[in-house]
Amino acid sequence: MADDDVVSAEEKEEPPEAATTQEPAAPCSYFWPPAVSARYERRGKLAEGMFGDVHRAWDRAGGRMVAVKRLSGRNEEPFLKTGLADLAREAMSLRACRGHPCVVELVATHADTRRGDGDCFLVTAYAGPTNLRRYMSLRRAERRPFAEAEVRAAMRQLLAGAERVHGAGVLHRDMVPENVVVDYDDQTTLYRICGFAMSESAAERAAGRDDGGAAALASPSPYRAPEVFLGARDYDGGIDTWALGCIMAELLAGDGRPFFRADEGATAFEKVLHVAGTRGIVEWPGMQRLAGPDLAARLREKGAATYDGCLRKVFPNKVLSKDGFEVLSGLLQTNPKNRLTAEAALSKPWFRQRRRFGFRGCCFRP
């Protein structure tokens, strides 16, 4: 299938400046189908995930740079098999969020129908050369930690994007640094949300779609909200804002690694309880229903019901101001009922500092 209402189908010549800056196409073990290769000239590889890879390409019809994401139609190392339903899910989520500057822009979709296990292709506007994971690693290698003002600018953009996603009735469910595209120069750093392969719409939730457990475990464990660890299936946008809180903590920590990563000493969930505290999750009415009375009783017996965690010790005032900590602790609230939504987070005083524009959610000049 193809989505051609975004750009004109009329062929346009590539401008001279684009022709002079071409980089050779990256070596690849497969060929794009004729309909795709005729429209897009493949350039360098941008990323690779569990479902496929992403290349920078020149869109001959649209006259601009794009990112072409290939979804593998068959099981092949290292990709998982995807199909038209997966393409449709991601495309519809992006279409629902269309027009927001902090979410990548959908350009077109294509499917290789020459074979039953053909690949699918999702095309978005080119949004930047790297993802947030690699950008954090670059900053660490250059010994340039993120100042609080930079973290505030990044979180304003990501929360503005999440507000649009949730307002469109979509849960992202895989809000990780690898799914944030970063474009930067000496003056500005722009962050855009991408990677909607695991997203879920309000219609799918209302229909009670059963996806074999993927819904409950969509996010990788270092970004998984406490209620999802406990097996909740009736979650809401709080699972995305929790993950954004994890990203905020990583930007502040500056070591380039997941904040709640598991290690030999503790699982990711144990780290969540230790750092973010157990008071919230124990007070959450859904905990006993999901975890059973035994776990709730053990936490209460240990006095964990009154334990507030050590998040402030990890990020003292010299690292993060009082207003900034209000946002971080609100996003990393273990009680999902008390966790900040994207809209509520953006209304906090931290985001009203040094603003250059008068409307909330602007993400071009934080």
Side-chain angles (χ1 to χ4, degrees):
M1 65 180 174
D3 180 3
D4 294 322
D5 62 340
V6 182
V7 297
S8 170
E10 179 184 357
E11 292 290 325
K12 298 180 181 179
E13 291 186 357
E14 187 171 2
E17 61 269 22
T20 57
T21 59
Q22 291 183 13
E23 71 267 23
C28 208
S29 60
Y30 63 90
F31 293 98
W32 286 356
V36 177
S37 59
R39 178 166 175 173
Y40 307 104
E41 178 185 308
R42 183 161 52 195
R43 302 289 180 82
K45 192 174 188 177
L46 292 172
E48 185 175 288
M50 69 172 68
F51 299 110
D53 47 24
V54 184
H55 279 80
R56 184 171 176 260
W58 175 254
D59 181 2
R60 296 184 178 96
R64 59 173 171 173
M65 283 294 176
V66 295
V68 179
K69 178 178 181 179
R70 178 184 73 105
L71 302 174
S72 177
R74 56 207 159 276
N75 287 317
E76 59 173 307
E77 191 68 31
F79 307 128
L80 300 178
K81 182 179 180 179
T82 57
L84 287 173
D86 302 288
L87 174 68
R89 179 190 304 114
E90 190 159 4
M92 286 190 293
S93 294
L94 285 171
R95 182 184 287 276
C97 305
R98 179 179 290 174
H100 198 281
C102 298
V103 180
V104 295
E105 175 193 353
L106 176 67
V107 173
T109 58
H110 302 269
D112 184 2
T113 57
R114 299 173 302 167
R115 49 187 294 174
D117 60 353
D119 296 335
C120 295
F121 296 83
L122 184 85
V123 185
T124 59
Y126 178 72
T130 191
N131 63 42
L132 182 54
R133 175 72 67 205
R134 292 200 297 264
Y135 185 57
M136 287 191 290
S137 296
L138 173 66
R139 292 287 296 263
R140 178 173 171 79
E142 294 176 346
R143 297 186 178 182
R144 291 194 300 126
F146 288 85
E148 182 174 342
E150 292 179 288
V151 176
R152 180 169 56 237
M155 293 306 299
R156 179 182 289 128
Q157 295 177 52
L158 294 177
L159 286 164
E163 182 182 21
R164 176 55 174 267
V165 171
H166 297 160
V170 174
L171 299 184
H172 189 283
R173 304 197 308 169
D174 195 17
M175 202 77 77
V176 296
E178 289 80 0
N179 285 333
V180 175
V181 182
V182 183
D183 195 11
Y184 59 94
D185 56 30
D186 292 338
Q187 301 296 323
T188 307
T189 305
L190 303 178
Y191 302 84
R192 295 183 179 92
I193 297 170
C194 66
F196 284 77
M198 299 299 294
S199 62
E200 185 180 43
S201 68
E204 288 174 316
R205 291 196 299 281
R209 179 176 60 85
D210 182 8
D211 55 7
L217 300 175
S219 298
S221 60
Y223 304 90
R224 194 174 297 161
E227 64 270 24
V228 183
F229 272 112
L230 294 175
R233 301 295 295 269
D234 55 348
Y235 48 71
D236 56 19
I239 65 168
D240 290 338
T241 55
W242 172 275
L244 289 177
C246 297
I247 290 176
M248 180 177 173
E250 289 175 32
L251 291 170
L252 291 165
D255 61 6
R257 297 181 293 174
F259 185 66
F260 289 118
R261 62 190 179 276
D263 55 29
E264 295 181 358
T267 66
F269 186 52
E270 288 170 339
K271 285 195 169 184
V272 165
L273 297 180
H274 176 72
V275 177
T278 55
R279 179 196 295 271
I281 195 68
V282 168
E283 293 176 348
W284 178 48
M287 178 183 168
Q288 186 156 322
R289 170 175 55 85
L290 292 170
D294 291 342
L295 176 57
R298 287 200 303 271
L299 289 173
R300 292 190 177 98
E301 286 171 4
K302 294 178 180 179
T306 59
Y307 180 51
D308 293 320
C310 58
L311 192 62
R312 194 46 163 162
K313 292 182 180 179
V314 177
F315 299 109
N317 195 65
K318 65 179 181 180
V319 175
L320 184 63
S321 66
K322 178 181 177 181
D323 287 343
F325 185 75
E326 180 187 18
V327 173
L328 178 63
S329 59
L331 295 174
L332 294 181
Q333 165 60 248
T334 57
N335 185 337
K337 296 300 182 183
N338 296 334
R339 190 174 305 143
L340 286 177
T341 64
E343 181 181 13
L346 287 167
S347 70
K348 293 297 182 181
W350 195 49
F351 291 113
R352 294 200 293 267
Q353 300 178 37
R354 299 182 182 180
R355 299 207 24 212
R356 300 186 184 181
F357 291 95
F359 59 96
R360 178 173 53 76
C362 170
C363 59
F364 282 115
R365 293 290 187 275

